[in-house]
Amino acid sequence: MECSDVEGFSAEARTHALNPRNCGPMDDSDGHAWITGPCGDTMAFWVAARDGNVEKASVITDGCGPSVASGSAAVCLAEGRRIEEAARLSQRDILDALGGLPEESEHCALLAADTLKAACEDCLNRKGETRVEKSDGGERSCGSCSDEKCSASKQLKGESDEEYEDRRLLQSRLCRIKHKVIVLSGKGGVG
């Protein structure tokens, strides 16, 4: 993760781009995620947690200087925070920590925020946490909770252990989808 394209960067963004923090894969992580953004840059985060806090985070990217800087800043912001709090870090939080980026590169901070959130949610899912707080302050089920409202909170009568586990895993995935669109067609197909 080297870069030389730091034209128009603030001093803080330049520091993160030229000397990124905690780069490289983490062998003993509790959560991991990678996302390729619309610009083609790919970013990956690893998160190690202890007692509900992000003990260590690391990042790699094949992207440009703004991606390197954004990933590095996100790692610094995440470490020491509650996992749920780190998952709520936003594009604006990262841009503020960097002192801004050139406008055409601000999407790199969004890629970092989204990838860090996915890694934190993976960490929570692996540790069997039952609730993930949404950015609006509400809660959502992760599919393995005991909440009576969760459709996968209890095994159904006549449902095998395998069927229940499949349904619980599906519910876990569905709970991570922020917006769901239902398409109905009266003609037998959707075109």
Side-chain angles (χ1 to χ4, degrees):
M1 280 184 16
E2 293 183 24
C3 74
S4 57
D5 53 338
V6 292
E7 185 79 26
F9 280 31
S10 69
E12 189 65 24
R14 183 175 286 115
T15 299
H16 277 283
L18 297 174
N19 300 300
R21 293 7 173 247
N22 293 350
C23 295
M26 188 187 311
D27 292 331
D28 58 345
S29 69
D30 297 304
H32 172 253
W34 69 93
I35 296 176
T36 299
C39 64
D41 291 357
T42 299
M43 193 172 291
F45 276 91
W46 288 263
V47 176
R50 177 171 289 164
D51 299 325
N53 293 316
V54 176
E55 183 174 63
K56 184 176 181 184
S58 66
V59 63
I60 60 170
T61 183
D62 62 3
C64 58
S67 286
V68 173
S70 296
S72 175
V75 162
C76 292
L77 289 170
E79 288 183 339
R81 293 181 188 247
R82 300 285 306 160
I83 299 167
E84 299 86 354
E85 185 182 352
R88 287 192 306 269
L89 288 170
S90 69
Q91 176 186 23
R92 176 56 37 208
D93 294 327
I94 294 168
L95 289 171
D96 289 347
L98 291 171
L101 285 173
E103 187 176 343
E104 66 275 7
S105 300
E106 288 183 351
H107 66 276
C108 297
L110 179 60
L111 176 60
D114 288 346
T115 311
L116 175 62
K117 177 180 181 174
C120 289
E121 287 183 346
D122 182 49
C123 177
L124 289 170
N125 287 335
R126 287 185 189 189
K127 289 187 171 285
E129 296 291 326
T130 60
R131 305 299 278 184
V132 176
E133 190 172 317
K134 294 193 310 188
S135 57
D136 65 5
E139 289 185 342
R140 63 184 167 128
S141 168
C142 74
S144 60
C145 65
S146 59
D147 184 351
E148 294 292 326
K149 295 177 186 174
C150 179
S151 66
S153 63
K154 294 180 183 172
Q155 191 166 353
L156 300 174
K157 186 176 181 178
E159 184 177 44
S160 72
D161 289 342
E162 184 178 324
E163 290 170 330
Y164 171 63
E165 183 61 17
D166 287 345
R167 189 170 55 84
R168 193 191 64 74
L169 289 173
L170 177 61
Q171 182 64 35
S172 175
R173 290 184 189 119
L174 289 172
C175 284
R176 289 184 286 210
I177 299 172
K178 186 174 181 179
H179 300 284
K180 297 172 184 85
V181 177
I182 298 173
V183 179
L184 302 173
S185 172
K187 303 242 179 206
V190 177

